Amino acid sequence: MNFLKKERTKDANYISAKESRAISKENKKITDEIEKKRKRKHIPEEEYVTKMKNPDNVVEFDNVHTYFFTDIGTVKSVDGVSFEVPQGKTVGIVGESGCGKSVTSLSLMQLVQRPQGQTVEGEIRFNMGDHAVNVVNAPMDMMQKLRGNQMSMIFQEPMTSLNPVFRIGMQVDEVIALHNPQMSKEEVKKRTIEMLQMVGIANSEGVYKMYPHELSGGMRQRICIAMGLACSPKLIIADEPTTALDVTIQAQILDLLRGLKNKINSSIMLITHDLGVIAEMADYVVVMYAGRVVEKGTVQEIFKSPKHPYTVGLMASKPVVGKDIDRLYSIPGKVPNPVNMPDYCYFRDRCEMCVEACKGKYPEQTVLSPTHVVNCYRYSESSGSNGNDKKEMKEVQ
Amino acid sequence: MKTASEPLKQNEDNILEVSHLKKYFPIKGGVFSNVVGQVKAVDDVSFSIKRGTTMGLVGESGCGKSTAGRTLLRLIDKTDGNVLFNGTDIYALSKKEMRTLRPKMQIIFQDPYSSLSPRLPIGEIIGEAVREHKLVPKDELDDYITKIMASCGLQTYHKDRYPHEFSGGQRQRICIARALALNPEFIVCDEPVSALDVSIQAQIINLLKDLQEEYGLTYLFISHDLSVVEHISDTVGVMYLGNIVEIGATEDIFANPLHPYTKALFSAIPMPDPDAKPNRIILEGSIPSPANPPAGCKFHTRCKDCMEICKTQEPIAKDMGNGHVVKCHLYN
């Protein structure tokens, strides 16, 4: 093993075939064990039934770790993420691609690519009224009852998330019929058409009989939303719902989502990298970087007084209409290699506001207000930040 | 309209003049693949770009902005109209003459993942066209490529690597280096940052601006991201269904949008400020099919200020002062 280590210091990305084989063998051992546990016929209820910490929350993520066991090493896509989604509120999750925001939502739906992708630690508690379900350990049949019924997902690409060979009506019918087996075919169809009308499709009877290719991107996204909302879920996960759409259509879709949220009183988990969309839609914001939450707070706290250097940099790098700046701020460097994460603050190598304490291990949470939490040494009490640093930060803004 | 026999004149300040450019794509159908209709992707577009400035072209997807960019480079043939580049009508040139002109006008494509050949190393991707056009002596080629790569923020050792080893932002840098290597005067940037993350976007936009200052480049910046266009452009053209509905200096257009479509488009931009209460004009429906555009003003089906005249008569362009031209019956 010693000579292998030497090789690695030469080139961090180099992995010999022998080493890769050893890793995949090790991975198989780990994933087989987890899969075996998951595939048991009768999983006792006490393993997944828990209690919510706060009954007003719909979902509580508690120290969730989702890893991908790949042949070049373990990728810690989600590494200790904790936040909660309160009833009737919208929580926005921001971050660059590859920061783990989508994997977080997939973990909640138990849709992570298995067996290589596994939620290995932590709890995701989903509120079921009198009790809570820990999604991480929940058996498959339990999940099937939850998905689409209690929580549903709207994907980024409306072009690829509809099945091209089935009519729109049939695809929406399927969701309703599956979760409401007592309904007759006519009732299901009536409900589907109601849903299509609700998402603002004028010719709903006609669209019912159409195929996805006959519709535009905005219309398809409406169909996806109709499918997602068909069973009035408690939680809607919108994974970049407007990224593939034009601004004018984006405005329509956001308007629609907001209206529907109030109508059926559900919560939204909104994943996007567009800060404008977040500011408009969200009540709470979670900023993720390299698999971890670096800052979270209410939308006012995050936008009015961003604290983490990454959040500040992210805000400064986006041009804003009506704001005249000569040069955009760009965060130097790039995201660290996900296979070998450093043991210090992940943002340190790109950070322009490093303090002495940053040389230590990954920073702990610092609570700034009951809702505003940041993981940065600049704000922890021991090292503290002086007035000088704050001034510097304002300049960057 | 000018005919081919008439000598075409160009203002000295302008690097590019486009007049009444049209591009129709035939729709084929039936047993013998007869032409049964036309998609009017670009329908009578005229504008000019001053040397050393950036013109932004915005609009929804399918409005013909990319087709306009490609037609004015003669990457696809025009249906009608004229494109004058440095005083020469590029559609009057022979294939051979066009080839010698090509290095002067380059394009950067939207998707850095599909616009680089996966089988060529970076040095070859950047140097291929330079060698082909014999812009640099053979023995200096290597140094020249290194120099160009350095100015785009790429390292020398990247030269022997292949595109798959790079991230999206770096690939876009390679695309920029490839265009820049030919020492162009004019670059069409076809959505160069929309496939990139916000922080990478900022790097690429800054790079484009730096290169413009250094080499005195002229850009046509095609994008649907209005905030990026406002940041980078000197003039802005707003396209809708193959037409430019409004064109003018960036400050004029953003401070005082006149066309109802421009107003709706600008009001739809989400502001990264939780206190901003958007006074939003929501456009109903989506863009009509360019194969069968509505009669009269093409925007009248979605316009909230629609009048009777809009349904029958196409509006003519009107200059509202300071080169701010709008095509709408409200101002006639």
Side-chain angles (χ1 to χ4, degrees):
Chain A
M1 270 320 262
N2 251 345
F3 80 95
L4 286 174
K5 266 185 187 156
K6 262 180 205 163
E7 288 266 312
R8 197 176 267 177
T9 48
K10 255 188 206 163
D11 183 353
N13 291 325
Y14 178 76
I15 272 192
S16 69
K18 198 174 169 189
E19 206 181 2
S20 173
R21 268 202 301 279
I23 292 174
S24 43
K25 207 170 166 190
E26 187 68 25
N27 284 346
K28 192 150 191 323
K29 224 164 148 188
I30 300 168
T31 51
D32 276 358
E33 201 174 307
I34 301 171
E35 283 297 297
K36 204 174 147 194
K37 208 173 154 198
R38 218 176 267 272
K39 278 187 185 148
R40 281 172 300 165
K41 276 233 171 77
H42 299 289
I43 297 177
E45 255 194 16
E46 52 268 25
E47 273 187 34
Y48 61 87
V49 173
T50 56
K51 272 227 145 63
M52 301 296 282
K53 260 192 192 151
N54 180 353
D56 290 337
N57 290 338
V58 178
V59 183
E60 287 170 358
F61 286 82
D62 195 351
N63 196 24
V64 179
H65 295 254
T66 301
Y67 294 173
F68 286 89
F69 297 95
T70 70
D71 287 358
I72 53 162
T74 307
V75 175
K76 297 177 178 176
S77 280
V78 176
D79 198 9
V81 165
S82 312
F83 65 92
E84 50 278 319
V85 183
Q87 173 74 43
K89 299 282 184 202
T90 303
V91 175
I93 304 176
V94 238
E96 287 174 86
S97 39
C99 75
K101 51 193 195 306
S102 286
V103 177
T104 306
S105 62
L106 290 175
S107 306
L108 168 60
M109 296 283 273
Q110 235 191 61
L111 286 175
V112 180
Q113 182 71 46
R114 272 161 52 190
Q116 63 271 49
Q118 298 284 357
T119 307
V120 291
E121 208 191 313
E123 276 192 358
I124 305 173
R125 292 183 290 268
F126 188 81
N127 198 342
M128 299 283 282
D130 54 339
H131 65 284
V133 171
N134 179 8
V135 172
V136 176
N137 296 331
M140 192 57 86
D141 56 342
M142 184 77 208
M143 282 314 293
Q144 277 168 354
K145 277 182 209 144
L146 284 178
R147 285 185 208 136
N149 197 11
Q150 300 279 343
M151 52 185 172
S152 66
M153 197 155 178
I154 300 160
F155 292 94
Q156 173 172 6
E157 280 276 335
M159 308 287 168
T160 51
S161 50
L162 289 173
N163 192 333
V165 297
F166 291 113
R167 292 179 197 277
I168 298 295
M170 173 163 176
Q171 296 190 44
V172 185
D173 278 353
E174 194 186 359
V175 184
I176 299 167
L178 197 69
H179 292 293
N180 303 293
Q182 77 287 356
M183 277 166 99
S184 71
K185 263 188 183 171
E186 286 73 35
E187 279 174 325
V188 170
K189 184 176 175 184
K190 213 180 118 206
R191 172 90 181 135
T192 301
I193 289 178
E194 245 172 59
M195 286 314 297
L196 293 179
Q197 274 163 355
M198 195 162 96
V199 295
I201 291 172
N203 173 20
S204 50
E205 294 268 353
V207 169
Y208 186 86
K209 290 194 194 102
M210 282 185 190
Y211 285 98
H213 73 264
E214 296 175 73
L215 303 170
S216 66
M219 288 281 261
R220 278 184 237 193
Q221 195 58 290
R222 282 166 197 268
I223 305 287
C224 289
I225 293 175
M227 273 163 83
L229 302 185
C231 295
S232 306
K234 272 194 216 149
L235 178 73
I236 305 159
I237 306 166
D239 190 354
E240 310 241 1
T242 57
T243 307
L245 306 173
D246 280 312
V247 248
T248 49
I249 311 291
Q250 169 171 299
Q252 289 176 7
I253 297 286
L254 293 182
D255 216 45
L256 172 70
L257 266 178
R258 211 170 345 184
L260 292 177
K261 188 197 96 178
N262 296 337
K263 218 178 204 171
I264 59 176
N265 191 27
S266 55
S267 312
I268 300 182
M269 216 169 113
L270 180 70
I271 301 167
T272 177
H273 62 254
D274 191 333
L275 291 164
V277 173
I278 292 276
E280 196 175 297
M281 296 284 292
D283 301 301
Y284 297 96
V285 183
V286 176
V287 184
M288 280 185 78
Y289 180 72
R292 295 202 179 187
V293 174
V294 292
E295 188 171 359
K296 59 185 172 186
T298 64
V299 71
Q300 294 287 345
E301 284 164 341
I302 297 287
F303 280 87
K304 295 290 169 196
S305 64
K307 288 289 184 279
H308 197 281
Y310 177 67
T311 319
V312 177
L314 209 60
M315 304 239 175
S317 58
K318 177 95 184 134
V320 178
V321 170
K323 233 190 225 172
D324 197 19
I325 27 166
D326 200 35
R327 201 179 163 79
L328 288 176
Y329 173 75
S330 72
I331 305 171
K334 56 179 184 183
V335 186
N337 184 344
V339 179
N340 295 310
M341 278 300 198
D343 54 358
Y344 47 85
C345 173
Y346 296 163
F347 194 61
R348 193 186 82 183
D349 296 337
R350 304 176 74 185
C351 188
E352 289 177 345
M353 302 164 201
C354 275
V355 289
E356 194 53 34
C358 294
K359 289 186 179 136
K361 59 183 198 315
Y362 195 88
E364 292 290 318
Q365 273 190 356
T366 309
V367 181
L368 299 168
S369 81
T371 47
H372 199 173
V373 174
V374 64
N375 284 57
C376 183
Y377 278 117
R378 294 170 56 87
Y379 305 99
S380 57
E381 282 132 47
S382 52
S383 69
S385 59
N386 51 40
N388 224 354
D389 287 347
K390 272 186 185 151
K391 212 170 151 195
E392 199 182 305
M393 187 160 259
K394 267 201 180 128
E395 271 168 25
V396 170
Q397 260 182 286
Chain B
M1 224 201 92
K2 285 168 188 168
T3 54
S5 58
E6 224 177 298
L8 294 155
K9 276 184 202 145
Q10 187 179 2
N11 189 336
E12 277 293 299
D13 288 347
N14 293 340
I15 187 162
L16 189 86
E17 271 181 17
V18 179
S19 50
H20 306 287
L21 188 69
K22 284 179 192 165
K23 174 68 195 173
Y24 298 164
F25 291 103
I27 307 168
K28 287 181 180 163
V31 190
F32 301 107
S33 297
N34 297 328
V35 175
V36 292
Q38 275 169 331
V39 176
K40 296 179 176 175
V42 178
D43 199 6
D44 204 352
V45 162
S46 309
F47 59 87
S48 56
I49 307 177
K50 274 209 176 81
R51 209 174 293 276
T53 63
T54 304
M55 173 168 161
L57 205 53
V58 290
E60 287 174 89
S61 42
C63 73
K65 48 192 198 305
S66 285
T67 311
R70 277 158 209 226
T71 319
L72 61 87
L73 290 182
R74 209 178 162 186
L75 290 177
I76 44 178
D77 264 321
K78 64 167 184 179
T79 304
D80 199 6
N82 282 306
V83 181
L84 287 179
F85 179 74
N86 272 341
T88 41
D89 181 0
I90 64 162
Y91 278 97
L93 299 177
S94 70
K95 257 192 176 165
K96 214 173 168 187
E97 287 168 326
M98 193 60 218
R99 218 175 127 80
T100 58
L101 191 67
R102 286 247 184 256
K104 293 282 161 231
M105 38 208 303
Q106 286 293 310
I107 183 164
I108 299 164
F109 293 102
Q110 171 174 13
D111 189 357
Y113 292 88
S114 58
S115 58
L116 295 172
S117 165
R119 312 186 73 164
L120 291 180
I122 303 311
E124 183 61 23
I125 288 176
I126 298 170
E128 192 182 23
V130 181
R131 200 176 53 229
E132 194 64 26
H133 285 287
K134 300 192 182 68
L135 294 177
V136 197
K138 244 184 205 165
D139 48 333
E140 286 172 30
L141 184 65
D142 216 41
D143 291 336
Y144 180 74
I145 295 170
T146 314
K147 198 189 102 203
I148 291 290
M149 282 171 70
S151 64
C152 292
L154 295 162
Q155 305 296 324
T156 317
Y157 60 84
H158 287 152
K159 208 183 281 179
D160 301 319
R161 296 203 177 167
Y162 287 88
H164 73 263
E165 297 174 64
F166 292 91
S167 63
Q170 273 180 312
R171 282 182 213 214
Q172 201 57 282
R173 282 171 194 272
I174 295 164
C175 292
I176 294 171
R178 174 173 64 180
L180 199 69
L182 294 163
N183 198 15
E185 289 172 20
F186 175 63
I187 300 180
V188 174
C189 307
D190 189 358
E191 309 237 11
V193 295
S194 41
L196 307 173
D197 265 321
V198 188
S199 64
I200 313 292
Q201 260 187 21
Q203 292 176 14
I204 297 295
I205 292 168
N206 286 340
L207 174 67
L208 285 171
K209 280 195 124 181
D210 291 344
L211 293 173
Q212 180 165 37
E213 267 173 38
E214 201 178 335
Y215 295 90
L217 298 168
T218 310
Y219 293 133
L220 176 69
F221 196 92
I222 300 169
S223 178
H224 65 258
D225 191 335
L226 294 153
S227 49
V228 172
V229 168
E230 194 215 12
H231 179 72
I232 202 165
S233 316
D234 302 301
T235 51
V236 177
V238 182
M239 274 189 86
Y240 185 77
L241 218 58
N243 284 124
I244 289 189
V245 293
E246 191 168 0
I247 190 167
T250 307
E251 307 85 64
D252 290 346
I253 296 249
F254 277 84
N256 182 25
L258 295 173
H259 198 281
Y261 177 64
T262 321
K263 281 181 190 164
L265 201 62
F266 288 178
S267 78
I269 311 167
M271 299 291 275
D273 178 3
D275 290 337
K277 286 271 175 293
N279 189 11
R280 190 152 287 168
I281 308 163
I282 291 199
L283 288 180
E284 293 298 323
S286 52
I287 196 161
S289 161
N292 186 20
C297 172
K298 285 179 180 172
F299 185 59
H300 84 252
T301 51
R302 297 168 80 190
C303 185
K304 68 174 177 53
D305 300 318
C306 180
M307 299 176 290
E308 255 332 290
I309 186 174
C310 302
K311 290 175 186 160
T312 50
Q313 220 174 338
E314 201 176 327
I316 44 162
K318 192 172 179 214
D319 196 332
M320 305 294 287
N322 200 13
H324 190 165
V325 178
V326 64
K327 232 180 182 184
C328 179
H329 283 301
L330 285 176
Y331 302 97
N332 283 345

